[in-house]
């Protein structure tokens, strides 16, 4: 069975085609700059050279058409017919309180995703464009949706409610939802397998540190707390996002700087974090280079970033009254040895006996970065959200009556 995984954004579509029986990626790629006459398709078929094409692609239906065309292209393709794609799985950022797990797309599901537009105005409308574009190009092919929020639906009320008037929750669903759930779930399961211990008995702190970053307290395989909130702005300091701050800063700065709601939101989401403090970049690679060159602002940015992450790890150890393992994943978590070192070396009080040698070795593999016998283990586990989406889609299809 072949499953196409789609991650549709407002001006981009990322895709990955899986052969499920053999658990291999047949092709992956993305379309960027949708809406422009210089849109670009970047296609990476397995065992064939990469293929790039600049083209006018004005909306998502055409973008999906181009993806399907290249997948069956005689030279660059990997299938002989589109009918060889059995199902499509979509990443959807916000499932609100309605979706506690992945589901097959129905009219009711689409209606509910639309109802959630208010909570994720930048993401959910784009995902719906992706779903409609697949419907238009591949009528009748089953589609599934996998939500970033679903894994965190197990959080108890004490973790997900904000201490503000309850009417805001009742009327407007103001609460913490958390994101990156697909990744936190996947790396928790992989960590248990790596440690050879049952997930049901483990207290894990999973750190998904990419452009966006969040950590989660995962107790017995269930998310009991996570650092992102009603939106992906809360929590850790990120590439361009502020993370936690005093909410009173928002009206204060709006008044002083004469900013609109849109402007202050853009400041906190796009012009804060590593970028704002370093004045150099939102990319951890460039920050680390500048730190090594002795740049003072980069050093401060790096210290703030790792300090805030370490504080969250301490908080989640307290939330679970203990921790067995800390897991690093995503672009920064998987690749930045200096980040892991800075965080783990300050956690010796918890029982983390950091292994600097292991930390510096090997990329893209699951590994332990604490010494043998360390009371609390630290692991690097590469995430694979697309594979989870493909697997969930596959399982939902298997559950369907013939
Ligand atoms: P996204 O949140 O966009 O999914 P990713 O998980 O792909 O992000 O992470 C992207 C980020 O990973 C980049 O912005 C970069 O800062 C970071 N990154 C990638 N490789 C390295 C590296 N070798 N060292 C440090 N950071 C890295």
């Amino acid at each position: 069975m072949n499953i196409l995984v789609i991650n549709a954004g407002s001006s981009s579509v990322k895709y990955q085609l899986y052969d499920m029986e053999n658990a291999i990626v047949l092709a992956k790629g993305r379309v960027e700059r949708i809406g422009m006459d210089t849109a670009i398709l970047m296609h990476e078929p397995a065992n064939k050279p990469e293929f790039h094409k600049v083209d006018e692609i004005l909306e998502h239906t055409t973008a999906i058409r181009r993806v399907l065309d290249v997948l069956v292209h005689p030279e660059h393709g990997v299938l002989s017919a589109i009918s060889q794609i059995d199902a499509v799985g979509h990443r959807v950022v916000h499932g609100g309180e309605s979706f506690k797990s992945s589901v097959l797309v129905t009219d009711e599901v689409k209606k509910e995703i639309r109802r959630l537009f208010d909570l994720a105005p930048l993401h959910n409308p784009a995902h719906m464009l992706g779903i409609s574009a697949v419907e238009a190009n591949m009528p009748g092919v089953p589609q599934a949706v996998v939500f970033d929020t679903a894994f965190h639906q197990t959080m108890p009320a004490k973790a997900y409610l904000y201490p503000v008037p309850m009417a805001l929750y009742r009327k407007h669903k103001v609460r913490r939802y958390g994101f990156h759930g697909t990744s936190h779930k996947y790396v928790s399961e992989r960590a248990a397998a790596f440690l050879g211990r049952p997930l049901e008995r483990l207290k894990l702190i999973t750190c998904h540190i990419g452009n966006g970053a969040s950590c989660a307290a995962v107790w017995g395989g269930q998310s009991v707390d996570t650092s992102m909130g009603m939106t992906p702005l809360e929590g850790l300091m990120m590439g361009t996002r502020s993370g936690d701050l005093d909410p009173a800063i928002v009206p204060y700065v709006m008044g002083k700087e004469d900013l609109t709601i849109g402007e202050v939101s853009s400041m906190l989401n796009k012009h804060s974090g590593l970028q704002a403090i370093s004045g150099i970049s939102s990319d951890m690679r460039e920050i680390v280079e500048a730190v090594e060159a002795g740049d003072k602002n980069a050093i401060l940015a790096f210290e703030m970033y790792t300090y805030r992450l370490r504080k969250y790890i301490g908080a989640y150890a307290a939330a679970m009254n203990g921790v067995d393992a800390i897991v690093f994943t995503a672009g920064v978590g998987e690749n930045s040895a200096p980040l892991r070192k800075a965080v783990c070396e300050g956690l010796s009080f918890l029982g983390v006996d950091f292994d600097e040698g292991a930390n510096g070795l090997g990329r893209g593999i699951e590994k332990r970065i604490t010494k043998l016998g360390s009371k609390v283990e630290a692991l690097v586990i590469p995430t694979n959200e697309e594979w989870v989406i493909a697997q969930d889609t596959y399982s939902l299809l298997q559950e369907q009556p013939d």
Side-chain angles (χ1 to χ4, degrees), residues 210-212 282-285 330-332 335-336 363:
N211 278 322
S282 61
D283 189 315
M284 185 54 87
R285 279 167 292 205
V332 181
N335 295 304
S336 183
R363 282 251 171 102

Short mmCIF file of all heavy atoms in Angstrom, two decimals, residues 210-212 282-285 330-332 335-336 363, ligand 1:
data_model
loop_
_atom_site.label_atom_id
_atom_site.label_comp_id
_atom_site.label_asym_id
_atom_site.label_seq_id
_atom_site.Cartn_x
_atom_site.Cartn_y
_atom_site.Cartn_z
N GLY A 210 13.10 22.76 17.29
CA GLY A 210 13.36 23.11 15.89
C GLY A 210 13.23 24.62 15.76
O GLY A 210 13.56 25.34 16.71
N ASN A 211 12.74 25.11 14.62
CA ASN A 211 12.43 26.55 14.53
C ASN A 211 11.43 26.91 15.61
O ASN A 211 11.59 27.86 16.34
CB ASN A 211 11.85 26.88 13.16
CG ASN A 211 12.94 27.05 12.14
OD1 ASN A 211 13.99 27.60 12.44
ND2 ASN A 211 12.70 26.58 10.94
N GLY A 212 10.35 26.10 15.65
CA GLY A 212 9.43 26.17 16.78
C GLY A 212 9.94 25.15 17.80
O GLY A 212 10.56 24.16 17.41
N SER A 282 18.01 33.49 13.31
CA SER A 282 17.12 32.63 14.10
C SER A 282 17.63 31.18 14.02
O SER A 282 17.04 30.28 14.60
CB SER A 282 15.70 32.69 13.53
OG SER A 282 15.71 32.23 12.19
N ASP A 283 18.71 30.98 13.25
CA ASP A 283 19.20 29.63 13.00
C ASP A 283 20.31 29.28 14.00
O ASP A 283 21.32 29.97 14.08
CB ASP A 283 19.73 29.56 11.55
CG ASP A 283 20.06 28.14 11.13
OD1 ASP A 283 20.69 27.41 11.92
OD2 ASP A 283 19.67 27.77 10.01
N MET A 284 20.09 28.22 14.76
CA MET A 284 21.03 27.85 15.82
C MET A 284 22.45 27.62 15.29
O MET A 284 23.42 27.89 15.98
CB MET A 284 20.50 26.62 16.57
CG MET A 284 21.31 26.22 17.76
SD MET A 284 21.56 27.56 18.95
CE MET A 284 20.10 27.44 19.96
N ARG A 285 22.57 27.13 14.05
CA ARG A 285 23.91 26.93 13.49
C ARG A 285 24.69 28.23 13.47
O ARG A 285 25.87 28.28 13.86
CB ARG A 285 23.81 26.41 12.05
CG ARG A 285 23.56 24.93 11.97
CD ARG A 285 23.18 24.55 10.57
NE ARG A 285 21.85 25.10 10.25
CZ ARG A 285 21.04 24.60 9.35
NH1 ARG A 285 21.40 23.56 8.66
NH2 ARG A 285 19.86 25.13 9.14
N ALA A 330 14.20 16.97 16.79
CA ALA A 330 13.98 18.05 15.80
C ALA A 330 15.30 18.74 15.44
O ALA A 330 16.34 18.44 16.03
CB ALA A 330 12.94 19.05 16.27
N GLY A 331 15.22 19.67 14.48
CA GLY A 331 16.42 20.26 13.86
C GLY A 331 17.53 20.63 14.83
O GLY A 331 18.68 20.21 14.65
N VAL A 332 17.22 21.40 15.86
CA VAL A 332 18.25 21.82 16.81
C VAL A 332 18.56 20.69 17.79
O VAL A 332 19.72 20.35 18.04
CB VAL A 332 17.79 23.08 17.59
CG1 VAL A 332 18.87 23.53 18.57
CG2 VAL A 332 17.44 24.21 16.63
N ASN A 335 20.65 17.98 16.15
CA ASN A 335 21.93 18.32 15.51
C ASN A 335 22.88 19.17 16.33
O ASN A 335 24.07 19.23 16.01
CB ASN A 335 21.65 19.07 14.19
CG ASN A 335 20.95 18.18 13.20
OD1 ASN A 335 21.45 17.11 12.86
ND2 ASN A 335 19.78 18.60 12.74
N SER A 336 22.37 19.86 17.34
CA SER A 336 23.25 20.81 18.02
C SER A 336 23.82 20.22 19.31
O SER A 336 23.20 20.26 20.38
CB SER A 336 22.49 22.11 18.32
OG SER A 336 23.38 23.02 18.92
N ARG A 363 25.45 11.58 13.70
CA ARG A 363 24.28 12.41 13.42
C ARG A 363 23.17 11.54 12.87
O ARG A 363 23.42 10.56 12.19
CB ARG A 363 24.62 13.44 12.34
CG ARG A 363 25.41 14.61 12.82
CD ARG A 363 24.54 15.87 12.82
NE ARG A 363 25.22 16.97 13.48
CZ ARG A 363 25.82 17.97 12.82
NH1 ARG A 363 25.79 17.99 11.52
NH2 ARG A 363 26.40 18.94 13.48
P1 LIG B 1 10.72 23.24 11.95
O1 LIG B 1 10.29 23.77 13.28
O2 LIG B 1 10.71 24.28 10.88
O3 LIG B 1 10.13 21.91 11.58
P2 LIG B 1 13.22 21.79 12.16
O4 LIG B 1 12.91 20.81 13.20
O5 LIG B 1 13.44 21.31 10.75
O6 LIG B 1 12.25 23.02 12.18
O7 LIG B 1 14.52 22.58 12.62
C1 LIG B 1 15.07 23.59 11.82
C2 LIG B 1 16.16 24.28 12.61
O8 LIG B 1 17.13 23.30 13.01
C3 LIG B 1 16.95 25.28 11.80
O9 LIG B 1 16.39 26.56 11.85
C4 LIG B 1 18.30 25.27 12.47
O10 LIG B 1 18.32 26.32 13.43
C5 LIG B 1 18.35 23.97 13.22
N1 LIG B 1 19.47 23.15 12.79
C6 LIG B 1 19.57 22.33 11.73
N2 LIG B 1 20.80 21.75 11.67
C7 LIG B 1 21.49 22.23 12.73
C8 LIG B 1 22.81 22.03 13.24
N3 LIG B 1 23.68 21.22 12.63
N4 LIG B 1 23.15 22.69 14.37
C9 LIG B 1 22.28 23.49 14.99
N5 LIG B 1 21.04 23.74 14.56
C10 LIG B 1 20.64 23.12 13.45
#
